[in-house]
Amino acid sequence: MRELLANRVKTLTPSATLAITAKAKELKANGIDVIGLGAGEPDFNTPKNILDAAAESMYQGHTKYTPAGGLPALKKAIIDKLARDNKLNYKPNEILVGIGAKHVLYTLFQVILNEGDEVIIPIPYWVSYPEQVKLAGGVPVYVESTSEQNFKITADQLRDAVTPKTKAVIINSPSNPSGMVYSREELVALAEVAVEKDILIVSDEIYEKLLYNGLEHFSVASISEEVKARTILINGVAKSHSMTGWRIGYAAGNAEIIESMTDLASHSTSNPTTTSQYATIEAYNGSQDSVEEMRVAFESRLETIYPKLNAIPGFNVIKPQGAFYLLPDVSEAARKTGYTSVDEFVTALLTEANVAVVPGSGFGLPSTIRLSYATSLENLEEAVRRMDNFVKSKWQD
């Protein structure tokens, strides 16, 4: 029989976050009391005003195809949001609405990358960035940050990584998995390099509403018109409005790129789900009280759980500034408890302590684990207690 699979999929690495979540669900289905800290989604239901708007749209007959790039009314809501929140002005032909921010990113790389084009990806990174780049024929170029740098790359590191083949750099702030946030000054320095080297900036801002300790979000595209012209801003309602399952994200940027993304979407997805688009119109045009309520809840959990997690022997974690993840270095804990790798340590946490976390190897930092605090405080405290007991019971001096 002929080879069944295309070469492009043979090097794909399964999503570490989805894999651990699936394993935890399997154990739960077998009656095991597993606490899952792997999923990257808020534990709140979608706000009622959004649910009501979605239902009303269906009863009004809005259940048919829409334009491939999104409803005009939704594009307007996104444009208004970007002007209101980010001081950015866009036109409808500079906006694409897609099936979640993940698929919007996928579509973007498909239209901007030729075979061999390089995309600079800071470490740690969201698991899908390198896979999507590779699927588009591109080459991921990793730039490693350190805990001393708060897991953020510098302008000098970016400059050193650029080659004649570099097409873009990905900036994710607030970051998944580290929760770190680039300051205005840091973004200005990175943008100067992008302009100097004539490369695109892919700015993933999906966690922009989840910032703590009084921090305010700053979009790299707002630095100047010159920077905005080379920035493709990626965002959506999944994290901000607890709408992960609705699958609506968007891109804002260069009209030529957006037009090509729209053309590709017309041949691949037809359009984002109509009901979800009407729900998102309400998400952006309606009350934002629920967004702030969720943010306050996440910040409260962080303040409670961070010191307890950091007190576990062999756990070293920098306090995040945004998103809803903690990224402790547990290499010492793994070694002192008799495991040869953090991946082995993670497996033991799941099977023996019944706590599901994501190994940092999926994010380019194999010495770490990622924990989501998008779950109840009760679950978080119990999970930390279990991990603490597990480590102390196996610790070998």
PDB file of all heavy atoms in Angstrom, residues 88-105:
ATOM      1  N   LEU A  88      -6.258  51.651  19.185  1.00  0.00           N
ATOM      2  CA  LEU A  88      -5.870  51.229  17.849  1.00  0.00           C
ATOM      3  C   LEU A  88      -7.042  51.409  16.888  1.00  0.00           C
ATOM      4  O   LEU A  88      -8.179  51.069  17.232  1.00  0.00           O
ATOM      5  CB  LEU A  88      -5.453  49.759  17.857  1.00  0.00           C
ATOM      6  CG  LEU A  88      -4.127  49.444  18.551  1.00  0.00           C
ATOM      7  CD1 LEU A  88      -3.994  47.940  18.768  1.00  0.00           C
ATOM      8  CD2 LEU A  88      -2.951  49.977  17.747  1.00  0.00           C
ATOM      9  N   ASN A  89      -6.753  51.898  15.710  1.00  0.00           N
ATOM     10  CA  ASN A  89      -7.801  52.127  14.709  1.00  0.00           C
ATOM     11  C   ASN A  89      -7.600  51.196  13.518  1.00  0.00           C
ATOM     12  O   ASN A  89      -6.528  51.186  12.891  1.00  0.00           O
ATOM     13  CB  ASN A  89      -7.770  53.589  14.235  1.00  0.00           C
ATOM     14  CG  ASN A  89      -8.099  54.561  15.353  1.00  0.00           C
ATOM     15  OD1 ASN A  89      -9.062  54.361  16.085  1.00  0.00           O
ATOM     16  ND2 ASN A  89      -7.292  55.597  15.494  1.00  0.00           N
ATOM     17  N   TYR A  90      -8.636  50.423  13.235  1.00  0.00           N
ATOM     18  CA  TYR A  90      -8.605  49.497  12.106  1.00  0.00           C
ATOM     19  C   TYR A  90      -9.853  49.683  11.249  1.00  0.00           C
ATOM     20  O   TYR A  90     -10.888  50.174  11.725  1.00  0.00           O
ATOM     21  CB  TYR A  90      -8.541  48.047  12.598  1.00  0.00           C
ATOM     22  CG  TYR A  90      -7.212  47.659  13.195  1.00  0.00           C
ATOM     23  CD1 TYR A  90      -7.011  47.710  14.575  1.00  0.00           C
ATOM     24  CD2 TYR A  90      -6.162  47.235  12.392  1.00  0.00           C
ATOM     25  CE1 TYR A  90      -5.790  47.348  15.136  1.00  0.00           C
ATOM     26  CE2 TYR A  90      -4.938  46.871  12.946  1.00  0.00           C
ATOM     27  CZ  TYR A  90      -4.762  46.941  14.313  1.00  0.00           C
ATOM     28  OH  TYR A  90      -3.558  46.593  14.857  1.00  0.00           O
ATOM     29  N   LYS A  91      -9.750  49.221   9.995  1.00  0.00           N
ATOM     30  CA  LYS A  91     -10.880  49.205   9.076  1.00  0.00           C
ATOM     31  C   LYS A  91     -11.388  47.766   8.948  1.00  0.00           C
ATOM     32  O   LYS A  91     -10.653  46.819   9.256  1.00  0.00           O
ATOM     33  CB  LYS A  91     -10.441  49.739   7.708  1.00  0.00           C
ATOM     34  CG  LYS A  91      -9.931  51.174   7.741  1.00  0.00           C
ATOM     35  CD  LYS A  91      -9.380  51.572   6.373  1.00  0.00           C
ATOM     36  CE  LYS A  91      -8.804  52.987   6.422  1.00  0.00           C
ATOM     37  NZ  LYS A  91      -8.190  53.380   5.124  1.00  0.00           N
ATOM     38  N   PRO A  92     -12.615  47.588   8.467  1.00  0.00           N
ATOM     39  CA  PRO A  92     -13.155  46.223   8.351  1.00  0.00           C
ATOM     40  C   PRO A  92     -12.281  45.288   7.516  1.00  0.00           C
ATOM     41  O   PRO A  92     -12.195  44.089   7.823  1.00  0.00           O
ATOM     42  CB  PRO A  92     -14.520  46.450   7.692  1.00  0.00           C
ATOM     43  CG  PRO A  92     -14.922  47.818   8.148  1.00  0.00           C
ATOM     44  CD  PRO A  92     -13.652  48.607   8.178  1.00  0.00           C
ATOM     45  N   ASN A  93     -11.627  45.807   6.480  1.00  0.00           N
ATOM     46  CA  ASN A  93     -10.783  44.931   5.650  1.00  0.00           C
ATOM     47  C   ASN A  93      -9.451  44.596   6.306  1.00  0.00           C
ATOM     48  O   ASN A  93      -8.622  43.893   5.730  1.00  0.00           O
ATOM     49  CB  ASN A  93     -10.559  45.551   4.271  1.00  0.00           C
ATOM     50  CG  ASN A  93      -9.711  46.812   4.312  1.00  0.00           C
ATOM     51  OD1 ASN A  93      -9.603  47.472   5.353  1.00  0.00           O
ATOM     52  ND2 ASN A  93      -9.119  47.163   3.185  1.00  0.00           N
ATOM     53  N   GLU A  94      -9.251  45.096   7.526  1.00  0.00           N
ATOM     54  CA  GLU A  94      -8.058  44.761   8.307  1.00  0.00           C
ATOM     55  C   GLU A  94      -8.376  43.822   9.471  1.00  0.00           C
ATOM     56  O   GLU A  94      -7.556  43.622  10.355  1.00  0.00           O
ATOM     57  CB  GLU A  94      -7.403  46.040   8.840  1.00  0.00           C
ATOM     58  CG  GLU A  94      -6.898  46.969   7.738  1.00  0.00           C
ATOM     59  CD  GLU A  94      -6.416  48.297   8.279  1.00  0.00           C
ATOM     60  OE1 GLU A  94      -7.101  48.898   9.144  1.00  0.00           O
ATOM     61  OE2 GLU A  94      -5.348  48.756   7.816  1.00  0.00           O
ATOM     62  N   ILE A  95      -9.590  43.247   9.440  1.00  0.00           N
ATOM     63  CA  ILE A  95     -10.044  42.339  10.501  1.00  0.00           C
ATOM     64  C   ILE A  95     -10.483  41.010   9.893  1.00  0.00           C
ATOM     65  O   ILE A  95     -11.240  40.980   8.909  1.00  0.00           O
ATOM     66  CB  ILE A  95     -11.240  42.936  11.283  1.00  0.00           C
ATOM     67  CG1 ILE A  95     -10.890  44.295  11.879  1.00  0.00           C
ATOM     68  CG2 ILE A  95     -11.726  41.953  12.354  1.00  0.00           C
ATOM     69  CD1 ILE A  95      -9.874  44.256  13.000  1.00  0.00           C
ATOM     70  N   LEU A  96     -10.013  39.915  10.460  1.00  0.00           N
ATOM     71  CA  LEU A  96     -10.517  38.581  10.127  1.00  0.00           C
ATOM     72  C   LEU A  96     -11.031  37.927  11.392  1.00  0.00           C
ATOM     73  O   LEU A  96     -10.330  37.884  12.401  1.00  0.00           O
ATOM     74  CB  LEU A  96      -9.412  37.699   9.541  1.00  0.00           C
ATOM     75  CG  LEU A  96      -9.792  36.212   9.479  1.00  0.00           C
ATOM     76  CD1 LEU A  96     -10.506  35.909   8.176  1.00  0.00           C
ATOM     77  CD2 LEU A  96      -8.588  35.300   9.661  1.00  0.00           C
ATOM     78  N   VAL A  97     -12.261  37.422  11.338  1.00  0.00           N
ATOM     79  CA  VAL A  97     -12.805  36.627  12.442  1.00  0.00           C
ATOM     80  C   VAL A  97     -12.663  35.162  12.065  1.00  0.00           C
ATOM     81  O   VAL A  97     -13.012  34.756  10.948  1.00  0.00           O
ATOM     82  CB  VAL A  97     -14.289  36.967  12.696  1.00  0.00           C
ATOM     83  CG1 VAL A  97     -14.818  36.158  13.884  1.00  0.00           C
ATOM     84  CG2 VAL A  97     -14.463  38.458  12.937  1.00  0.00           C
ATOM     85  N   GLY A  98     -12.128  34.375  12.977  1.00  0.00           N
ATOM     86  CA  GLY A  98     -11.899  32.966  12.685  1.00  0.00           C
ATOM     87  C   GLY A  98     -12.403  32.060  13.784  1.00  0.00           C
ATOM     88  O   GLY A  98     -12.981  32.504  14.787  1.00  0.00           O
ATOM     89  N   ILE A  99     -12.143  30.770  13.609  1.00  0.00           N
ATOM     90  CA  ILE A  99     -12.666  29.754  14.514  1.00  0.00           C
ATOM     91  C   ILE A  99     -11.686  29.570  15.673  1.00  0.00           C
ATOM     92  O   ILE A  99     -10.947  28.582  15.754  1.00  0.00           O
ATOM     93  CB  ILE A  99     -12.924  28.440  13.754  1.00  0.00           C
ATOM     94  CG1 ILE A  99     -13.869  28.703  12.587  1.00  0.00           C
ATOM     95  CG2 ILE A  99     -13.530  27.387  14.682  1.00  0.00           C
ATOM     96  CD1 ILE A  99     -14.115  27.515  11.711  1.00  0.00           C
ATOM     97  N   GLY A 100     -11.664  30.541  16.543  1.00  0.00           N
ATOM     98  CA  GLY A 100     -10.753  30.535  17.683  1.00  0.00           C
ATOM     99  C   GLY A 100      -9.415  31.154  17.310  1.00  0.00           C
ATOM    100  O   GLY A 100      -8.986  31.131  16.150  1.00  0.00           O
ATOM    101  N   ALA A 101      -8.736  31.728  18.292  1.00  0.00           N
ATOM    102  CA  ALA A 101      -7.433  32.353  18.044  1.00  0.00           C
ATOM    103  C   ALA A 101      -6.424  31.333  17.522  1.00  0.00           C
ATOM    104  O   ALA A 101      -5.549  31.671  16.730  1.00  0.00           O
ATOM    105  CB  ALA A 101      -6.923  33.004  19.329  1.00  0.00           C
ATOM    106  N   LYS A 102      -6.538  30.078  17.954  1.00  0.00           N
ATOM    107  CA  LYS A 102      -5.608  29.042  17.490  1.00  0.00           C
ATOM    108  C   LYS A 102      -5.696  28.870  15.979  1.00  0.00           C
ATOM    109  O   LYS A 102      -4.668  28.850  15.289  1.00  0.00           O
ATOM    110  CB  LYS A 102      -5.898  27.712  18.185  1.00  0.00           C
ATOM    111  CG  LYS A 102      -4.990  26.571  17.728  1.00  0.00           C
ATOM    112  CD  LYS A 102      -5.352  25.259  18.387  1.00  0.00           C
ATOM    113  CE  LYS A 102      -4.849  25.190  19.809  1.00  0.00           C
ATOM    114  NZ  LYS A 102      -5.000  23.823  20.394  1.00  0.00           N
ATOM    115  N   HIS A 103      -6.910  28.765  15.445  1.00  0.00           N
ATOM    116  CA  HIS A 103      -7.040  28.576  14.001  1.00  0.00           C
ATOM    117  C   HIS A 103      -6.713  29.847  13.236  1.00  0.00           C
ATOM    118  O   HIS A 103      -6.237  29.792  12.096  1.00  0.00           O
ATOM    119  CB  HIS A 103      -8.448  28.090  13.638  1.00  0.00           C
ATOM    120  CG  HIS A 103      -8.530  27.562  12.237  1.00  0.00           C
ATOM    121  ND1 HIS A 103      -9.006  28.302  11.185  1.00  0.00           N
ATOM    122  CD2 HIS A 103      -8.159  26.357  11.716  1.00  0.00           C
ATOM    123  CE1 HIS A 103      -8.939  27.588  10.072  1.00  0.00           C
ATOM    124  NE2 HIS A 103      -8.423  26.415  10.370  1.00  0.00           N
ATOM    125  N   VAL A 104      -6.928  30.994  13.839  1.00  0.00           N
ATOM    126  CA  VAL A 104      -6.520  32.247  13.215  1.00  0.00           C
ATOM    127  C   VAL A 104      -5.000  32.271  13.052  1.00  0.00           C
ATOM    128  O   VAL A 104      -4.480  32.659  11.998  1.00  0.00           O
ATOM    129  CB  VAL A 104      -7.014  33.456  14.040  1.00  0.00           C
ATOM    130  CG1 VAL A 104      -6.400  34.755  13.527  1.00  0.00           C
ATOM    131  CG2 VAL A 104      -8.534  33.550  13.984  1.00  0.00           C
ATOM    132  N   LEU A 105      -4.276  31.850  14.085  1.00  0.00           N
ATOM    133  CA  LEU A 105      -2.821  31.761  13.993  1.00  0.00           C
ATOM    134  C   LEU A 105      -2.400  30.772  12.910  1.00  0.00           C
ATOM    135  O   LEU A 105      -1.487  31.047  12.116  1.00  0.00           O
ATOM    136  CB  LEU A 105      -2.239  31.327  15.344  1.00  0.00           C
ATOM    137  CG  LEU A 105      -2.066  32.408  16.398  1.00  0.00           C
ATOM    138  CD1 LEU A 105      -1.875  31.777  17.770  1.00  0.00           C
ATOM    139  CD2 LEU A 105      -0.887  33.315  16.069  1.00  0.00           C
TER     140      LEU A 105
END
